[in-house]
Amino acid sequence: MTTATEPTCIDDILTELDQARKNGPLHDIQIPPCPALLTRLQNAMSQEEPDLNEVAQIASCDVAMSAALLRASNSPLYAAGGQPAQTIGQAMNRLGLENTAAVMLGFLAQRAIKVNSKHLMRFWERCTKRALAMAFMANKLPGVSVDLAHTYGLFCHAGLAVMAQSVRGYLGTLIEAHARIDRSFVETENANHKTDHAVVGALVARVWRLSSSVTAAIRLHHDLEILKEKRAQSEVNTLVAMGLLADYYMRRHEGLEQDVDWKTQGTTAMEWLQVSGDELLAWEEELREIFESA
């Protein structure tokens, strides 16, 4: 496993991850275990009719997570000038079940996957912004799951944080990968460590029992040729394309130059999603307020 180009079938990707974890380059990488509360949340949300009382009990198990829900529900994004929510029940009513689960997922992920490096400053802040942008676009695009989009946005770059914590010399690789112009970011990672953050991030998703489509999309999020060749499943392609737009919006909001992925494949991503230039601009205006509220 030295590149991020193959395979593209979801089942093949899952098999590849399992094999690499067993006796390949991922064997010694330490993946944080999925939090027990997240496992409970996943079980509750997977029911045909999710148990609201169970979700509320999970939220109440952790004081800091309860505070995160109250803070989110009282943010300008949801409060809209109303009376502040003071209980978990009031927060859940205001957020709705899907947004409640999304806030809890983000909180648990940040607690489990630590980021201490100065080279990954604002890591979870940017993951949260990407997830919000993904959820926003999912509400605009027909047939796209808001939950899958948000989860993909949150975990897309989780491999960076995990490699920074568990791979010797990776922080030096981060500096080198950002500086080199003769090869891509993942090519530098693979040259130095025989794997890359897309693969490691997909393994995190696999270990944490996230959706197989999310897992595959994380694995392929730098293999953007799939958008032209249509080699991967449609849902995977859609998540990858949306992720490219989310990063475009974040960089615009932060006043940064667009990266090589957008410059080379941005138009292809828009074509895959059937998003026009006018829509791209209009969505940016709406997302600005969301980003600032976050």
Side-chain angles (χ1 to χ4, degrees), residues 18 21 27 42 52 86 103 107 109 170 223 228 235 277:
D18 292 341
R21 182 63 167 162
H27 183 265
Q42 289 171 326
L52 297 180
Q86 297 180 332
V103 172
F107 174 87
Y170 184 69
D223 188 13
K228 292 180 179 177
E235 189 170 62

Side-chain angles (χ1 to χ4, degrees), residues 24-277:
L26 301 182
H27 183 265
D28 295 325
I29 292 180
Q30 298 176 2
I31 304 297
C34 181
L37 288 179
L38 179 55
T39 300
R40 279 183 63 186
L41 179 63
Q42 289 171 326
N43 291 335
M45 294 297 294
S46 66
Q47 304 302 316
E48 187 171 339
E49 291 189 12
D51 187 339
L52 297 180
N53 289 329
E54 169 68 358
V55 174
Q57 287 177 8
I58 296 168
S60 300
C61 283
D62 188 293
V63 173
M65 184 159 60
S66 298
L69 282 171
L70 288 168
R71 187 164 54 250
S73 68
N74 290 324
S75 71
L77 196 58
Y78 297 103
Q83 292 295 316
Q86 297 180 332
T87 67
I88 292 299
Q90 291 171 351
M92 288 179 61
N93 285 336
R94 180 171 290 173
L95 292 169
L97 182 59
E98 280 198 348
N99 288 329
T100 295
V103 172
M104 293 167 68
L105 174 62
F107 174 87
L108 292 168
Q110 290 183 53
R111 173 176 284 182
I113 303 175
K114 303 295 185 183
V115 179
N116 301 318
S117 169
K118 65 180 182 180
H119 301 295
L120 291 173
M121 290 181 64
R122 298 174 52 240
F123 175 81
W124 279 115
E125 178 187 334
R126 300 193 86 243
C127 289
T128 300
K129 287 173 67 175
R130 183 182 298 104
L132 289 170
M134 292 285 294
F136 168 85
M137 287 185 284
N139 280 310
K140 299 287 187 180
L141 298 168
V144 179
S145 163
V146 174
D147 176 56
L148 287 184
H150 181 277
T151 302
Y152 170 76
L154 190 66
F155 283 90
C156 180
H157 285 167
L160 291 169
V162 171
M163 291 185 76
Q165 290 294 319
S166 65
V167 176
R168 186 184 298 248
Y170 184 69
L171 296 180
T173 295
L174 276 179
I175 297 171
E176 179 187 352
H178 282 298
R180 295 192 74 129
I181 59 174
D182 60 326
R183 63 187 183 194
S184 71
F185 196 101
V186 293
E187 286 172 339
T188 298
E189 289 178 313
N190 277 290
N192 293 353
H193 306 292
K194 298 182 179 174
T195 191
D196 58 63
H197 73 278
V199 176
V200 174
L203 181 61
V204 174
R206 179 71 165 153
V207 170
W208 284 33
R209 295 172 48 221
L210 303 183
S211 158
S212 58
S213 294
V214 168
T215 301
I218 294 172
R219 171 67 176 85
L220 298 172
H221 76 270
H222 283 298
D223 188 13
L224 299 173
E225 291 299 317
I226 62 170
L227 300 177
K228 292 180 179 177
E229 300 174 17
K230 300 179 174 57
R231 290 184 285 129
Q233 281 88 337
S234 175
E235 189 170 62
V236 174
N237 280 25
T238 296
L239 290 174
V240 171
M242 290 172 65
L244 203 56
L245 263 68
D247 280 354
Y248 164 83
Y249 286 126
M250 286 200 307
R251 296 184 78 85
R252 292 270 294 178
H253 184 255
E254 295 167 3
L256 301 175
E257 181 184 355
Q258 293 303 320
D259 61 16
V260 66
D261 284 348
W262 179 260
K263 290 177 180 177
T264 57
Q265 303 292 350
T267 299
T268 305
M270 291 173 63
E271 290 173 351
W272 175 268
L273 298 171
Q274 298 182 26
V275 172
S276 68

Side-chain angles (χ1 to χ4, degrees), residues 136 140-141 249 275 279-287:
F136 168 85
K140 299 287 187 180
L141 298 168
Y249 286 126
V275 172
E279 286 175 310
L280 190 72
L281 292 174
W283 291 357
E284 182 176 3
E285 291 299 315
E286 294 182 67
L287 272 169

